[in-house]
Amino acid sequence: MKKLCYFFMVAALILSHIMCFVVAWNYRDMLCGIAHSSYSAPAEIAFLTAIPYAVGIIICGFLVYIFHKEKK
């Protein structure tokens, strides 16, 4: 159980870093598209890509809590 606890802890950290990268990339792409390619959606739409990552981070956090509780 200890290894699973650490695995999901690391998975949550990796997901959070990937989420920040993807959202920042999409936001920058939306701003560039609005300025140069006539995108009609606002740049804030890029923040919707954070939703699946946030769900994954919450699930990993819940699993860390469960496995840490069983470890004791």
Side-chain angles (χ1 to χ4, degrees):
M1 292 297 160
K2 188 176 182 180
K3 289 182 181 179
L4 284 174
C5 181
Y6 289 135
F7 172 77
F8 284 110
M9 196 178 307
V10 170
L13 287 171
I14 290 171
L15 276 175
S16 69
H17 286 77
I18 292 173
M19 177 186 69
C20 291
F21 175 76
V22 169
V23 171
W25 183 273
N26 288 339
Y27 188 77
R28 185 221 38 96
D29 186 51
M30 287 294 291
L31 287 177
C32 185
I34 290 169
H36 301 291
S37 299
S38 301
Y39 287 5
S40 61
E44 288 79 23
I45 295 297
F47 291 109
L48 292 177
T49 58
I51 293 171
Y53 292 104
V55 170
I57 292 167
I58 290 169
I59 290 171
C60 286
F62 180 72
L63 290 172
V64 166
Y65 174 74
I66 295 293
F67 291 132
H68 182 71
K69 195 174 180 183
E70 288 180 10
K71 184 173 66 171
K72 289 185 177 182

